[in-house]
């Protein structure tokens, strides 16, 4: 089995608008300024899935009249089907006749969950359950899995834990802007401009959710420390780690990181990381010798964190963000065909 090459050479794509120099601008502009779809996206249809522990997961779906396949998207930290990347991916998938399912991690669908848990970067058991539920929507269709940022790392951990058994569930997978080394990514987001620009943004909603969960389930966490956290490291140590059975933040970041286990993956998998991602230091990215034959690394020089805005003409100041998903979904389709017996 020979995987398709990376979609583009690292220096040829993307070509962001001229003013978007550097990873910070490319990250922020893609999320808040770039065009997400060429035309309006249909309204998502929501389903509520009951979980084995008495809770629920809300999944948003878009299905063409006669779907030819299904893409399951796992969103990033505090993301949802409203995120720019989810909308862009959905539009590209629908043009191919593929349906899209976005299962929301607990607490991210707009309604508080019931169980004393949330979600985390290594939540491969939750990924397994979500994929099973998504596959049941259309059991006869080929299924591809995509994870973005936190969701990308969690998807990779699922692939690693499943090994060859993952092939019974998904044809191919992609992880985009995943923090493969959580210790390196956590340190990066908590310092300098990153702490002011990104960590503060994430912590605003995460602290609010921690306070609400503590009211529902008194005594399950050190609520005072969680709701006063000023860094992701402190928050993960006070909230994420103890809530999900880790000894502390260092144990969580070590055990949840996907980078050490990339050679265990046995499904065609594309791992896309921009080398100027503010969250994921280039020095922490894997090289070809650290992955197995089922993994293709794609590490363009530009793109930021889940950015990858591409200008359509020299005077285009906004750029568009659906082009990356044209590349990713084309690779998934080609990789599935290459891996068939």
């Amino acid at each position: 089995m020979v995987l398709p090459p990376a979609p583009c050479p690292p220096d040829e794509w993307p070509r962001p608008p001229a003013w978007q120099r550097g990873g910070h601008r490319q990250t922020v502009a893609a999320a808040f300024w770039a065009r997400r779809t060429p035309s309006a996206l249909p309204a998502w249809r929501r389903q509520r899935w009951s979980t084995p522990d008495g809770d629920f997961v809300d999944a948003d779906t878009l299905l063409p009249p006669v779907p030819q396949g299904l893409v399951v998207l796992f969103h990033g930290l505090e993301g949802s089907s409203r995120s720019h990347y989810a909308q862009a991916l959905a539009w590209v998938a629908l043009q191919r006749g593929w349906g899209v399912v976005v299962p929301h991690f607990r607490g991210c669908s707009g309604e508080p969950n019931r169980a004393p848990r949330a979600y985390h970067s290594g939540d491969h058991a939750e990924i397994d359950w979500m994929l099973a539920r998504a596959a049941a929507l259309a059991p006869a269709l080929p299924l591809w899995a995509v994870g973005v940022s936190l969701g990308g790392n969690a998807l990779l951990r699922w692939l690693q834990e499943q090994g060859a058994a993952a092939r019974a569930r998904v044809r191919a997978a992609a992880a985009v802007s995943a923090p493969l080394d959580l210790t390196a990514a956590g340190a990066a987001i908590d310092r300098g401009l990153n702490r002011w620009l990104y960590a503060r943004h994430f912590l605003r909603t995460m602290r609010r959710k921690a306070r609400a969960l503590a009211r529902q389930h008194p005594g399950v966490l050190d609520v005072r420390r969680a709701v006063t956290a000023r860094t992701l490291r402190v928050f993960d140590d006070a909230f994420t780690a103890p809530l999900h059975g880790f000894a502390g933040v260092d144990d969580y970041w070590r055990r949840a990181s996907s980078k050490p286990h990339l050679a265990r993956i046995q499904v065609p998998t594309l791992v896309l990381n921009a080398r100027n991602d503010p969250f994921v230091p280039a020095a922490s990215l894997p090289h070809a010798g650290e992955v197995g034959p089922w993994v293709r690394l794609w590490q363009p020089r530009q793109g930021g964190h889940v950015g990858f805005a591409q200008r359509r003409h020299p005077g285009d100041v906004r750029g568009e963000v659906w082009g990356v998903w044209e590349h990713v979904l084309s690779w998934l389709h080609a990789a599935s065909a290459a891996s068939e017996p």
Side-chain angles (χ1 to χ4, degrees):
M1 193 276 300
V2 178
L3 290 180
C8 300
D11 291 331
E12 293 184 8
W13 179 92
R15 299 289 188 189
W19 68 273
Q20 292 181 26
R21 296 187 178 89
H24 290 299
R25 290 186 182 185
Q26 290 166 17
T27 299
V28 175
F32 298 106
W33 182 254
R35 295 182 298 277
R36 300 181 175 193
T37 61
S39 57
L41 195 67
W44 294 96
R45 300 188 65 180
R46 176 154 294 186
Q47 301 182 3
R48 176 155 291 185
W49 298 341
S50 297
T51 63
D53 60 352
D55 205 352
F56 65 88
V57 162
D58 286 331
D60 285 351
T61 64
L62 283 173
L63 297 175
V66 184
Q68 304 300 307
L70 197 64
V71 183
V72 183
L73 172 66
F74 299 104
H75 62 75
L77 184 65
E78 297 298 274
S80 71
S81 63
R82 298 183 301 277
S83 298
H84 68 285
Y85 51 82
Q87 295 181 18
L89 178 147
W91 190 90
V92 173
L94 289 176
Q95 306 315 300
R96 293 173 168 266
W98 296 0
V100 183
V101 183
V102 182
H104 290 86
F105 290 118
R106 305 206 201 187
C108 293
S109 66
E111 183 176 335
N113 281 82
R114 296 188 287 265
R117 81 180 315 279
Y119 64 104
H120 63 86
S121 293
D123 209 351
H124 56 82
E126 191 88 325
I127 295 286
D128 185 62
W129 184 85
M130 289 174 164
L131 279 171
R133 286 302 306 262
L137 297 176
L141 294 180
L143 187 147
W144 297 276
V146 175
V148 171
S149 195
L150 175 148
N153 188 80
L155 173 61
L156 292 173
R157 289 293 295 116
W158 176 80
L159 290 164
Q160 293 159 359
E161 292 296 316
Q162 293 291 313
R167 291 182 228 162
R169 186 70 53 77
V170 300
R171 296 284 187 90
V176 176
S177 297
L180 312 172
D181 180 339
L182 290 170
T183 300
I189 200 171
D190 275 342
R191 64 173 176 253
L193 181 60
N194 283 351
R195 180 175 175 181
W196 180 85
L197 196 58
Y198 309 115
R200 189 173 69 166
H201 168 73
F202 290 131
L203 286 168
R204 186 178 299 115
T205 58
M206 292 162 66
R207 289 193 299 253
R208 185 168 65 244
K209 292 176 182 179
R211 186 179 289 110
L213 188 143
R215 285 196 298 266
Q216 282 181 287
H217 306 281
V220 300
L221 58 93
D222 183 347
V223 61
R224 179 180 177 83
R225 188 161 175 250
V227 302
T228 59
R230 294 291 180 267
T231 64
L232 287 183
R233 179 180 180 83
V234 172
F235 184 87
D236 278 350
D237 196 50
F239 180 84
T240 313
L243 201 61
H244 300 103
F246 297 99
V249 63
D250 292 318
D251 181 50
Y252 162 41
W253 285 357
R254 177 182 59 81
R255 288 167 55 193
S257 292
S258 60
K259 181 181 176 181
H261 313 291
L262 290 170
R264 291 166 52 186
I265 293 174
Q266 297 185 52
V267 170
T269 301
L270 180 68
V271 180
L272 167 58
N273 292 94
R275 299 193 68 83
N276 68 347
D277 187 330
F279 299 4
V280 184
S284 73
L285 295 178
H287 54 75
E290 295 177 279
V291 305
W294 295 90
V295 174
R296 176 70 69 196
L297 300 177
W298 185 19
Q299 298 174 354
R301 187 167 57 89
Q302 306 276 0
H305 188 77
V306 202
F308 306 107
Q310 172 76 16
R311 66 176 184 264
R312 284 295 176 177
H313 52 80
D316 183 3
V317 297
R318 292 180 64 187
E320 50 81 2
V321 292
W322 64 82
V324 62
W325 301 111
E326 292 174 338
H327 288 306
V328 169
L329 297 193
S330 292
W331 189 93
L332 291 176
H333 188 263
S336 331
S339 64
E340 288 178 356

